[in-house]
Amino acid sequence: MKQTTIAKRVEGVGIGLHKGLPIKIALEPLEADSGIIFFRSDLGTSFRAEPKNVVNTQMATVVGNEKGYVSTIEHLMSAISGYGIDNLRIVLDANEVPVMDGSSISFCMMLDEAGIKQLDADKKILVIKKEVIVREGDKYVCVRPSKNPKFDYTIKFENPIIGEQSYTFEFSKKNYVEKIARARTFGFLKDVQKLNSMGLALGGSLDNAVVIDDTRILNPEGLRFEDEFVRHKILDAIGDLSLLGTKMIGDYEAFAGSHDLNHKLTLEILSSAENYELVTLGEKEAAELEEAFA
């Protein structure tokens, strides 16, 4: 099985969640072993999407260096991982990825337009060898060995509109597009008002998030899935774990996880060679793991 990139450059424009201003985004092909690279065209600086370059996880996953950063990368990274793309350059003229509709489906459409190109280099994957878990009170995220990757997520909110939801997602590109990619980010009306007063979430609207008050969903069209909230958390987790740099083969489980816990999990996985093995996929290994890349 070979590494992949996209077949051609594609462009788009969307609103930034926090500043509320238009942001230009372009996806460009890269050669083998390049990884996923963010390039700030307004600053002339770039950085690779990997755990050591994560600089903030408070409200989103943010990567950067001393020259600049890019915020809210998780939805785009989730789509890139869902499509199994190994090498790609993301060009932005601002400090955040556009929020689009609050899910990753717009990025999937960009990737469909670009097409997938195989490169003349074998694909590398990160195989989980033992359980790795990160806890914070009763919250936790963990990974375990598995040849057919699954994401098993439970959320629990006091708000009666959400309550407790669980969902198990069996990883494949087809399943990702059909069951995960359209799940939108969500927030509470009181929090949106507070963020706006701080000069944040100025681009947030009912067009790019599910907004909830104490008793109802404010979006007139309602939900895309009955359990859209937990599905979006899986979307986020896929994006966060993609910063491992190669596709992960293992099961993920979370209870009330977060960007911060996911980041700490990637660091914990990479902290010891006992936790994982980097494998180059020849034909035999690819056949054994073909469902994970379907």
Side-chain angles (χ1 to χ4, degrees):
M1 181 173 285
K2 299 299 183 181
Q3 291 183 36
T4 59
T5 186
I6 55 175
K8 66 176 183 179
R9 186 180 194 269
V10 291
E11 300 177 348
V13 178
I15 296 297
L17 176 62
H18 289 304
K19 298 303 181 184
L21 300 174
I23 296 171
K24 294 179 182 178
I25 180 172
L27 307 181
E28 299 178 342
L30 278 183
E31 60 273 13
D33 298 320
S34 296
I36 308 301
I37 306 294
F38 284 90
F39 176 68
R40 285 282 303 274
S41 59
D42 56 327
L43 300 178
T45 190
S46 62
F47 23 84
R48 188 172 176 139
E50 56 188 352
K52 71 178 184 180
N53 288 334
V54 173
V55 296
N56 195 309
T57 54
Q58 185 176 4
M59 296 176 58
T61 299
V62 184
V63 293
N65 56 27
E66 67 281 357
K67 295 181 179 179
Y69 66 90
V70 174
S71 177
T72 323
I73 69 168
E74 58 271 10
H75 301 169
L76 173 56
M77 291 297 296
S78 184
I80 293 168
S81 180
Y83 275 59
I85 295 171
D86 304 292
N87 308 285
L88 185 70
R89 188 165 93 141
I90 301 153
V91 182
L92 297 156
D93 65 352
N95 62 9
E96 56 183 320
V97 175
V99 67
M100 307 310 234
D101 73 342
S103 74
S104 66
I105 194 64
S106 295
F107 301 123
C108 293
M109 294 170 67
M110 290 182 72
L111 294 172
D112 286 336
E113 179 186 350
I116 308 299
K117 177 184 177 181
Q118 284 198 348
L119 299 169
D120 190 22
D122 288 336
K123 184 183 283 284
K124 299 172 184 176
I125 61 170
L126 187 149
V127 178
I128 297 298
K129 294 169 60 178
K130 58 180 285 190
E131 180 180 86
V132 181
I133 187 165
V134 176
R135 295 183 183 274
E136 192 174 273
D138 62 347
K139 303 174 182 179
Y140 71 87
V141 293
C142 72
V143 290
R144 300 185 182 95
S146 173
K147 287 189 176 182
N148 297 298
K150 295 187 295 294
F151 282 71
D152 188 349
Y153 212 119
T154 298
I155 59 174
K156 188 174 183 179
F157 286 82
E158 292 183 5
N159 186 289
I161 301 300
I162 303 177
E164 183 170 334
Q165 295 184 359
S166 297
Y167 189 74
T168 300
F169 167 65
E170 295 188 10
F171 202 108
S172 73
K173 177 183 174 182
K174 181 175 184 295
N175 282 349
Y176 179 83
V177 173
E178 293 179 356
K179 300 179 179 181
I180 299 297
R182 293 178 60 248
R184 295 163 293 177
T185 191
F186 60 93
F188 300 99
L189 181 61
K190 63 179 186 297
D191 295 334
V192 173
Q193 294 168 335
K194 180 180 178 182
L195 289 169
N196 287 168
S197 71
M198 299 165 60
L200 299 172
L202 299 177
S205 72
L206 297 180
D207 294 327
N208 53 42
V210 178
V211 182
I212 309 153
D213 67 10
D214 292 336
T215 59
R216 64 193 175 100
I217 294 167
L218 301 184
N219 303 64
E221 75 279 11
L223 296 175
R224 294 176 176 176
F225 305 97
E226 183 177 326
D227 51 3
E228 185 170 358
F229 305 108
V230 70
R231 292 188 193 218
H232 183 79
K233 288 293 190 179
I234 291 176
L235 185 157
D236 280 346
I238 292 170
D240 288 342
L241 266 66
S242 73
L243 272 77
L244 286 167
T246 56
K247 187 173 182 67
M248 183 193 79
I249 299 298
D251 286 346
Y252 168 94
E253 182 182 327
F255 176 77
S258 64
H259 296 303
D260 187 56
L261 285 176
N262 288 334
H263 172 53
K264 289 174 179 174
L265 180 62
T266 62
L267 293 175
E268 188 65 25
I269 291 169
L270 297 176
S271 69
S272 172
E274 294 181 358
N275 297 331
Y276 71 97
E277 180 181 8
L278 283 176
V279 176
T280 300
L281 285 185
E283 292 184 9
K284 178 183 177 183
E285 294 86 356
E288 292 177 352
L289 298 166
E290 61 183 348
E291 288 188 14
F293 298 92

